[in-house]
Amino acid sequence: MSTTETTRRAGSDKTRPGGATPRRRRLPLRTRLRRDWQLLAMIAPGFVILLIFSYLPILGNVIAFQDYNPYVGSNPLEAFVKSNWIGFGQFQLLFADPAFWHAFRNTLAITAFQLVFFFPLPILLAIVLHSLLSSRLRGFIQTVVYLPHFFSWVLVVSFFVAMLGGAGLLAQTMREAGMEPWNVMTNPDTFIILVTVEAVWKDVGWGTIVFLAALSTIDQNLYEAAAADGAGRWRRLWHITLPGLRPVIVLLLILRLGDALSVGFEQFLLQRDAVGRQASEVLDTFVYHFSIATGNYGYGAAAGLFKAAIGLCLILAANKVAHMLGERGIYSRS
């Protein structure tokens, strides 16, 4: 370093105590809006949709503390004002309702089952697709496994009824072979397996998209160096692939835990009559049958608010565990 440059840096350090780098001057809001108006215009429709359908409905949680009656006023705002406040009365009724706790236990059981037997499958499928050398074969398999995601639950359940129902293809084949057909679609004891298989068939391909994107960011030189050092396929998978996927796995696992009490609505509503309420009742269908269908909206709002509070606690706890394990999680204080 030259003497002139050293003198200039020393003088600069004198003018800034401790040699700290000066903060960049923040541009005025008007200047930033004029500079970024194209980007703001592009995200404006999505922001409006998010505001209308995600944030404004949060205000409706107030009816969980009311004996809400939508007919006491000429508009929803007047109904809010005129409905009687009962504090935590709806929650007391909710927690004393055996049907609510039955739906709560069913929801937790289905979530735990799918977390073990469904969550790892997109990871495995992404690893298998990523290892395929033929791009044509990879593209064909991706198209086949992605397609069911775009089917509605009505179509998915109808497909399984046609395959596994009492008059379906499997039952007819077993009858022709002289065997007693399996009771698949109407057996409450195996319902948890049935809904998991349906969810896997519908969404496992779609879930691989994130993991395939994460796999594409792993440096291929690491695989080549490991292969040159004599590492086999399983060692490369354990020491390179899985560590590269770990941040994404942790992030999606935290988000899944936050949504643990939302296992679905249409899928269970469509199959409720076939297997019975005891096997198929979850919190989403409970809110529909005991609140919306009966007009007791405050009761359903209390159940929804309880579900949201549990989800928030699960997200915070899982994120804390992720920080303890050295992962970033969904947010960090740094």
Side-chain angles (χ1 to χ4, degrees), residues 241-275:
T241 304
L242 292 181
L245 289 176
R246 187 171 60 184
V248 179
I249 294 174
V250 171
L251 174 62
L252 294 182
L253 182 60
I254 293 173
L255 295 177
R256 181 66 188 92
L257 288 176
D259 204 31
L261 299 185
S262 298
V263 294
F265 172 72
E266 293 181 5
Q267 181 186 13
F268 295 89
L269 184 67
L270 291 169
Q271 302 177 91
R272 189 174 189 264
D273 294 336
V275 298

Side-chain angles (χ1 to χ4, degrees), residues 11-166:
S12 176
D13 289 346
K14 289 180 181 179
T15 58
R16 294 189 295 269
T21 303
R23 294 183 180 179
R24 291 173 51 185
R25 184 167 175 264
R26 192 171 184 179
L27 295 175
L29 178 60
R30 181 179 300 179
T31 303
R32 283 180 286 156
L33 291 176
R34 187 164 54 248
R35 182 192 61 186
D36 300 328
W37 70 269
Q38 296 95 337
L39 296 176
L40 295 174
M42 184 175 63
I43 68 172
F47 175 76
V48 171
I49 292 174
L50 188 67
L51 179 66
I52 295 176
F53 294 102
S54 297
Y55 286 99
L56 288 181
I58 294 177
L59 300 176
N61 285 322
V62 70
I63 67 175
F65 305 95
Q66 291 181 312
D67 184 13
Y68 179 70
N69 185 356
Y71 305 107
V72 297
S74 58
N75 56 70
L77 181 59
E78 190 175 347
F80 278 131
V81 174
K82 292 185 176 181
S83 295
N84 297 324
W85 288 88
I86 58 174
F88 292 95
Q90 298 286 10
F91 293 93
Q92 293 175 356
L93 294 175
L94 186 71
F95 296 152
D97 190 349
F100 167 75
W101 291 112
H102 175 76
F104 182 73
R105 287 192 297 270
N106 273 359
T107 304
L108 289 181
I110 293 172
T111 295
F113 191 86
Q114 292 186 354
L115 200 62
V116 174
F117 295 101
F118 180 20
F119 184 79
L121 293 182
I123 305 173
L124 298 177
L125 181 59
I127 293 175
V128 171
L129 291 176
H130 187 71
S131 64
L132 294 178
L133 298 179
S134 174
S135 59
R136 285 189 175 182
L137 179 61
R138 187 189 306 122
F140 174 75
I141 295 176
Q142 287 178 356
T143 303
V144 171
V145 298
Y146 289 172
L147 189 60
H149 173 77
F150 300 98
F151 297 162
S152 68
W153 275 114
V154 175
L155 185 59
V156 172
V157 173
S158 300
F159 172 80
F160 273 82
V161 170
M163 293 292 104
L164 305 178

Side-chain angles (χ1 to χ4, degrees), residues 11 80 204 246 315 324:
F80 278 131
V204 69
R246 187 171 60 184
I315 283 183
M324 295 171 61

Side-chain angles (χ1 to χ4, degrees), residues 302-313:
L305 193 58
F306 172 78
K307 184 177 74 170
I310 295 296
L312 177 61
C313 293

